Amino acid sequence: LMRAYELMVIFDGDVEDTAVNAILANVNTLVEAGGGNVKKTDRWGRRRFAYEINHKWEGIYVVLEISTEGRDLHEVERVLHLADEVVRHKVMRLPENEAVRRGLLGDAAPATAG
């Protein structure tokens, strides 16, 4: 049974793009090893925090849409938790109707004009 998740990762604002890319590549590898795939990677770029986190005021935001047969993303979360470059991360399981709407599960109904 495929499930859809949204994963937000906030990297330290001082981290180089190469480090961000390396961690995202690792996440891809882990998701694929678990029988899933990263359908979309949306880089929001540098954003200011609402409050100071780890003595920093801004971070680099990336949102991934993932579909997987795995029951969870524990290994992905463990790796992100241990990565010094990652300030925060959050995994949300998407409701089925939203996942289908985004084309993450099954066939999304084509939008009809009118």
Side-chain angles (χ1 to χ4, degrees):
L1 180 66
M2 284 299 241
R3 291 183 169 83
Y5 297 89
E6 188 172 82
L7 167 63
M8 175 180 272
V9 184
I10 306 173
F11 294 90
D12 185 307
D14 297 332
V15 169
E16 296 293 324
D17 277 353
T18 50
V20 170
N21 293 338
I23 289 173
L24 293 177
N26 192 17
V27 167
N28 262 301
T29 302
L30 290 169
V31 168
E32 286 171 6
N37 55 39
V38 176
K39 297 281 195 178
K40 185 177 173 196
T41 302
D42 193 5
R43 294 171 184 255
W44 292 8
R46 207 173 291 277
R47 299 276 174 101
R48 189 167 167 79
F49 297 142
Y51 52 88
E52 194 177 7
I53 302 175
N54 299 354
H55 311 294
K56 300 279 169 62
W57 280 100
E58 61 177 26
I60 300 162
Y61 286 67
V62 181
V63 178
L64 297 93
E65 290 181 354
I66 297 168
S67 62
T68 180
E69 289 184 5
R71 291 216 35 94
D72 51 51
L73 294 170
H74 282 322
E75 187 59 17
V76 170
E77 290 196 87
R78 190 183 70 78
V79 166
L80 292 174
H81 184 73
L82 294 173
D84 292 335
E85 301 87 347
V86 175
V87 179
R88 294 274 192 284
H89 68 276
K90 177 84 179 154
V91 172
M92 268 187 358
R93 176 149 174 224
L94 293 173
E96 197 145 326
N97 58 348
E98 176 62 14
V100 169
R101 192 186 69 76
R102 293 189 194 187
L104 297 172
L105 299 177
D107 299 320
T112 50

